[in-house]
Amino acid sequence: MINELYIVGDQSRLVVKNIINQFKETDLTIKVFAPTNEDVDNLPNYSIHLLVLLSDNIDFMVIRKIVVYQKKYDYQLCFIGRIAKLAIEDDMFFKRIPSIKLESYTINTAELLELMEKNDTKRKHILVVDDEPIILRSIKLWLGDDFDLSLVNSGETAIEFLDMHPVDLVLLDYKMPTMDGPSVLEAIRNDKRLANLPVIFLTANNDRQSVINVMQLKPDGYILKSKSPDEIKEAVIDFFKHRVIKV
């Protein structure tokens, strides 16, 4: 649960001041910093939830400095607003920042806090879908110390499970009887409540055509079962660490 929120924003702008006041009306402890290099240097040297309120008058070097601290101290970032004119290099850099990004200043405070809490890089809930019991047992062994895992052995059961339980990620086998991985992904994307749920294929197929077929479905990732347990674990950790959410 988020108890403390740090905000970087220009309080001389009415829209920024209004958002800050919305958060001050909550039970959170709010700490506000100006969008300057000097103020940003005073941010904590430990993991925090940091809300950055963007505007055209912010020097992009301030954003770059915040990202340095994010990598060093594991900041949980959320950006609201936009910077209209960015150099191509800066724009590409900004798009890759692991964060929540909302362009509109019209926000629901409670919903945003819930989203920030859900996107926290702390322990996540993963649904693993595979028809082979040995794979399910192996994944539980490899990932169970770092994630909360739910295991199901069919596509149909996965859809039923998702209808009743929220998860942060689906690790999905590609080839399964009755309802295969692509069919499960299609069902998830066609459900308005689940459409943005991250899905990563975990498959034994590594030939070129299989890879092409999988990527055409636009999953959030593709992990080969032939990788070592440490590589599979690292791939899942990296996914959460580098995820960018646009709302």
Side-chain angles (χ1 to χ4, degrees):
M1 184 174 180
I2 300 176
N3 298 312
E4 188 175 61
L5 180 65
Y6 287 77
I7 300 177
V8 171
D10 181 1
Q11 294 190 78
S12 67
R13 300 182 66 229
L14 182 61
V15 66
V16 169
K17 194 170 184 178
N18 286 340
I19 288 181
I20 291 172
N21 287 336
Q22 284 184 55
F23 283 103
K24 285 183 177 179
E25 291 172 1
T26 68
D27 294 330
L28 295 175
T29 299
I30 304 298
K31 299 184 180 181
V32 182
F33 294 76
T36 64
N37 282 300
E38 294 77 17
D39 258 35
V40 167
D41 279 337
N42 292 320
L43 287 169
N45 58 353
Y46 53 83
S47 182
I48 60 172
H49 287 87
L50 179 61
L51 180 64
V52 183
L53 304 175
L54 299 174
S55 62
D56 289 341
N57 60 348
I58 291 181
D59 185 341
F60 197 76
M61 289 307 297
V62 170
I63 305 300
R64 288 184 175 271
K65 178 172 284 190
I66 288 172
V67 173
V68 170
Y69 292 154
Q70 178 193 37
K71 293 178 179 178
K72 189 173 182 179
Y73 302 121
D74 194 27
Y75 283 5
Q76 310 299 307
L77 289 182
C78 176
F79 293 97
I80 295 181
R82 59 193 295 266
I83 301 175
K85 295 181 180 179
L86 283 177
I88 294 176
E89 182 182 352
D90 290 340
D91 187 50
M92 292 176 63
F93 177 87
F94 181 73
K95 288 176 179 176
R96 293 195 300 267
I97 301 173
S99 58
I100 299 169
K101 295 185 173 77
L102 303 90
E103 289 197 355
S104 173
Y105 274 99
T106 304
I107 63 168
N108 180 301
T109 305
E111 290 179 0
L112 177 58
L113 289 173
E114 184 179 347
L115 181 60
M116 292 173 71
E117 221 172 282
K118 187 174 181 181
N119 193 51
D120 198 307
T121 56
K122 296 183 177 68
R123 197 172 182 91
K124 300 292 186 181
H125 184 188
I126 300 175
L127 175 64
V128 185
V129 189
D130 201 296
D131 62 308
E132 297 183 41
I134 189 171
I135 295 296
L136 292 177
R137 289 195 297 269
S138 297
I139 295 298
K140 185 175 183 179
L141 180 65
W142 301 338
L143 302 181
D145 288 342
D146 296 271
F147 302 98
D148 293 324
L149 301 179
S150 294
L151 313 175
V152 298
N153 62 3
S154 72
E156 294 89 343
T157 308
I159 297 302
E160 291 174 6
F161 183 93
L162 291 171
D163 190 46
M164 297 182 288
H165 305 282
V167 301
D168 299 296
L169 172 67
V170 178
L171 279 182
L172 181 61
D173 188 20
Y174 189 86
K175 282 190 176 181
M176 294 183 292
T178 315
M179 188 177 192
D180 62 10
S183 299
V184 174
L185 178 57
E186 183 179 6
I188 290 173
R189 293 291 179 257
N190 288 335
D191 187 324
K192 289 183 179 180
R193 297 170 306 141
L194 303 174
N196 295 319
L197 176 62
V199 177
I200 292 178
F201 277 113
L202 184 61
T203 176
N205 299 337
N206 62 355
D207 61 279
R208 183 173 181 274
Q209 191 56 51
S210 292
V211 174
I212 291 174
N213 291 342
V214 166
M215 297 316 293
Q216 285 176 341
L217 298 169
K218 296 183 179 179
D220 296 87
Y222 178 92
I223 303 174
L224 291 174
K225 291 179 180 177
S226 58
K227 288 184 175 292
S228 71
D230 284 345
E231 288 175 318
I232 291 175
K233 178 178 174 179
E234 192 62 32
V236 176
I237 291 174
D238 279 349
F239 166 76
F240 285 117
K241 189 180 293 184
H242 298 114
R243 188 181 179 202
V244 177
I245 297 179
K246 293 183 179 180
V247 181

